[in-house]
Amino acid sequence: MATPARCALSAATTRCAAPALSACAALALSACAAFSPDGGMGRVAATVSADTGRSVAKVSDEAEAGAARRAVAGLLRSRLSPDAAVQVALLSNRGLQAAFHDLGVSEAAYVQATLPPVPRFTYARLTGPGEIDITYALVASLFDLATLPSRKAIAERRFRAAQDRAAEQALALAAETRRQYFRAVAAGQSVAFLEQALGSAEAASTLATQLGESGALNKLEQAREHAFTAEIGAQLAKARVGQRVEREALVRRLGLWGPDLGFSLPSALPPLPRRPRESGATEAEALRRRIDLLVAKADLAALAGQYDLGTATRFVSAFDLGFTSNPESTVKAGVAPDGSPTIARDDIQRRGPSIDFAVPIYDFGETTVRGAREAYLAAAQRLAERAISARSEVREAYGRYRGEYDITRHYQGTVLPLNKTILDQSVLQFSGMLADVSQLIIDARTRILSNIQAIEAQRDFWIAAADLDASVVGGGFGPGAPEAAAPTTDAAPGPTGAAGG
């Protein structure tokens, strides 16, 4: 008996629900967002390319992985430049690839948030003596449907913020790769210089031994010369350890392993630019381009939309619209006038719309609105703090950039030439028996220390330049500063006049 009732009801339900379903479908078509063909990477790639001049690629299949490997292999065939190192990191670093896939997760959440509310279908079949009661109901949240455009706008802002965060991670990796590149090259340059100094010291030490055998140099002076050579040897060993550490740190940024580890770096840091950059309107440029500020603005816009939505709908937080059909069949037994038994069936169809909403007895939406308002104000304060910090970071970065430029120029233009002159004159006086070996060792030690400090100053200048770029476009400010300030040598090595370079 239930089957005919179900069939009749299905037809009736379809007819009555058709206008509502059509309206829902129209809203769904207008509000629903589709997945982008590149997983949201277009905005990320454009930002990274504009700020670094390098490209990024999300590796999702074997073909894309092969293309990235070929591009990296081509870059590694030549001696790595700073820009090439950044490009290798952007293509090979697996942490960055994970961030790109996280962006895909954000896009899925965005598309899901733009979908119209899913209707709920309920069915109940109750039977009793001679009765069958069947209830069908199709219910959809009218509140969710009405607020779909607003929720779509909020979800879109959040997805844009997720894209900017992915770009921020790429910029941070690029900046840190550039800083680490200069640390690795400077470490290699220090090793090369100390190797040259050690060769000169060993030759001087051999000469001291020969002079001692002829009686021209006493044992004290011979011991000082040998100790100087030993000091340089220790400094060289320490510098080689530092070189390996810095290279491995660079390898981690580049995301390389296996045969790719044989890449080569330049033997020396790039020369100083002829003129330092002018500060110009870097503060205003930073406020316009900083990716972390863009993220904070997008978050603030999303929270503002959430706050507005909560305020507008505080009294109607849950309002469901449905269509219910209730066919009822009753079987009655009786007796006909002729005395024969009869069975009569009564079919009653009840159907119509229904609404369901929560009565806000205890909470008239105040908690939701108050929470959204506080979240919005907190985000506004964080954005203001970030903007103030960005201005300060730009000023600090430029001050450090300009200071390191002047320091490096001072070493290269004044300190190193003077120490070379002093050492050359000291060697001449020692050869003419006008000075003892102690003074020669002091002058040589001073010159070696000056050369090491000059290399470190040049390294710090290039790191400061990378920090200045990062402070303008975003991607992390000055994480390398403490390491950059740490000297690779804590004391001047010792010896001979022949050392230096």
Side-chain angles (χ1 to χ4, degrees):
M1 297 178 66
T3 303
R6 184 181 302 114
C7 294
L9 177 62
S10 299
T13 302
T14 304
R15 286 194 301 273
C16 295
L21 292 176
S22 299
C24 291
L27 283 173
L29 290 175
S30 63
C32 182
F35 284 99
S36 59
D38 58 358
M41 284 295 297
R43 182 182 175 93
V44 178
T47 302
V48 174
S49 176
D51 291 337
T52 67
R54 305 296 108 190
S55 61
V56 295
K58 179 180 177 182
V59 177
S60 300
D61 53 39
E62 190 55 38
E64 293 172 347
R69 282 198 298 270
R70 288 190 293 275
V72 169
L75 292 169
L76 296 179
R77 288 192 194 100
S78 304
R79 188 168 293 174
L80 270 186
S81 66
D83 290 339
V86 169
Q87 184 62 81
V88 170
L90 292 177
L91 293 176
S92 296
N93 189 281
R94 302 307 173 92
L96 184 62
Q97 290 297 321
F100 291 160
H101 287 289
D102 288 341
L103 177 60
V105 176
S106 299
E107 185 184 37
Y110 162 58
V111 173
Q112 185 180 33
T114 64
L115 296 177
V118 178
R120 299 189 303 276
F121 177 76
T122 61
Y123 166 78
R125 183 175 187 276
L126 304 175
T127 59
E131 294 180 353
I132 297 178
D133 188 359
I134 300 175
T135 302
Y136 297 87
L138 187 65
V139 181
S141 172
L142 188 61
F143 173 79
D144 289 347
L145 193 61
T147 59
L148 184 58
S150 298
R151 291 189 292 110
K152 178 190 175 184
I154 295 171
E156 185 173 7
R157 294 189 188 105
R158 287 177 175 158
F159 178 55
R160 298 291 175 248
Q163 288 178 303
D164 289 341
R165 286 193 185 91
E168 184 179 19
Q169 293 190 48
L171 293 177
L173 175 64
E176 185 51 32
T177 299
R178 194 175 292 274
R179 296 185 191 103
Q180 191 55 45
Y181 172 88
F182 292 126
R183 293 189 196 108
V185 173
Q189 189 174 352
S190 296
V191 168
F193 173 76
L194 287 172
E195 287 175 344
Q196 179 187 357
L198 180 61
S200 301
E202 287 175 341
S205 184
T206 301
L207 177 60
T209 301
Q210 294 172 351
L211 291 175
E213 291 173 352
S214 65
L217 208 62
N218 59 39
K219 286 189 176 179
L220 177 59
E221 292 174 330
Q222 291 180 59
R224 285 173 175 164
E225 187 66 43
H226 297 328
F228 177 72
T229 304
E231 286 177 22
I232 293 186
Q235 290 293 335
L236 176 59
K238 185 177 179 181
R240 283 172 174 163
V241 172
Q243 182 188 25
R244 285 193 290 272
V245 170
E246 298 294 358
R247 184 179 175 91
E248 288 302 325
L250 177 61
V251 165
R252 289 193 290 275
R253 270 74 172 181
L254 298 179
L256 300 179
W257 63 285
D260 292 339
L261 295 180
F263 67 90
S264 61
L265 294 172
S267 58
L269 291 164
L272 280 183
R274 296 176 62 84
R275 291 187 178 85
R277 292 158 55 178
E278 298 296 333
S279 61
T282 51
E283 287 186 41
E285 186 179 2
L287 293 180
R288 182 175 54 84
R289 297 179 59 187
R290 286 271 296 233
I291 192 72
D292 53 340
L293 293 179
L294 296 179
V295 171
K297 289 176 183 176
D299 286 340
L300 183 63
L303 288 172
Q306 193 71 45
Y307 175 55
D308 292 341
L309 180 61
T311 303
T313 63
R314 58 183 299 183
F315 297 109
V316 195
S317 58
F319 191 90
D320 295 342
L321 174 66
F323 179 83
T324 303
S325 180
N326 181 208
E328 181 179 334
S329 295
T330 304
V331 178
K332 295 180 180 179
V335 179
D338 59 357
S340 61
T342 61
I343 298 177
R345 175 179 168 181
D346 259 347
D347 289 334
I348 303 173
Q349 293 282 348
R350 298 187 181 91
R351 52 179 175 265
S354 65
I355 59 173
D356 183 309
F357 64 92
V359 180
I361 296 178
Y362 307 108
D363 181 7
F364 288 87
E366 181 67 21
T367 56
T368 302
V369 173
R370 194 62 82 83
R373 179 175 180 272
E374 294 301 326
Y376 170 76
L377 293 176
Q381 295 292 349
R382 279 193 289 271
L383 175 59
E385 179 196 27
R386 192 82 283 263
I388 293 172
S389 298
R391 287 178 176 273
S392 173
E393 288 171 0
V394 169
R395 292 192 298 269
E396 178 186 338
Y398 184 79
R400 199 146 48 83
Y401 165 84
R402 184 54 195 263
E404 295 293 350
Y405 180 88
D406 293 339
I407 291 171
T408 306
R409 180 66 73 192
H410 179 68
Y411 268 107
Q412 294 181 353
T414 304
V415 177
L416 293 183
L418 283 176
N419 281 324
K420 183 176 185 305
T421 301
I422 291 172
L423 186 57
D424 291 344
Q425 293 301 315
S426 184
V427 170
L428 290 176
Q429 291 185 5
F430 177 73
S431 302
M433 305 298 287
L434 299 176
D436 59 14
V437 71
S438 300
Q439 186 59 48
L440 187 62
I441 289 173
I442 292 172
D443 294 339
R445 181 184 287 114
T446 302
R447 188 176 182 211
I448 290 173
L449 177 60
S450 297
N451 275 278
I452 295 297
Q453 290 175 338
I455 293 172
E456 292 173 352
Q458 192 172 356
R459 174 202 64 189
D460 292 346
F461 164 76
W462 285 112
I463 291 176
D467 286 344
L468 179 58
D469 291 336
S471 71
V472 174
V473 302
F477 169 72
E483 292 185 45
T488 56
T489 55
D490 52 5
T496 358

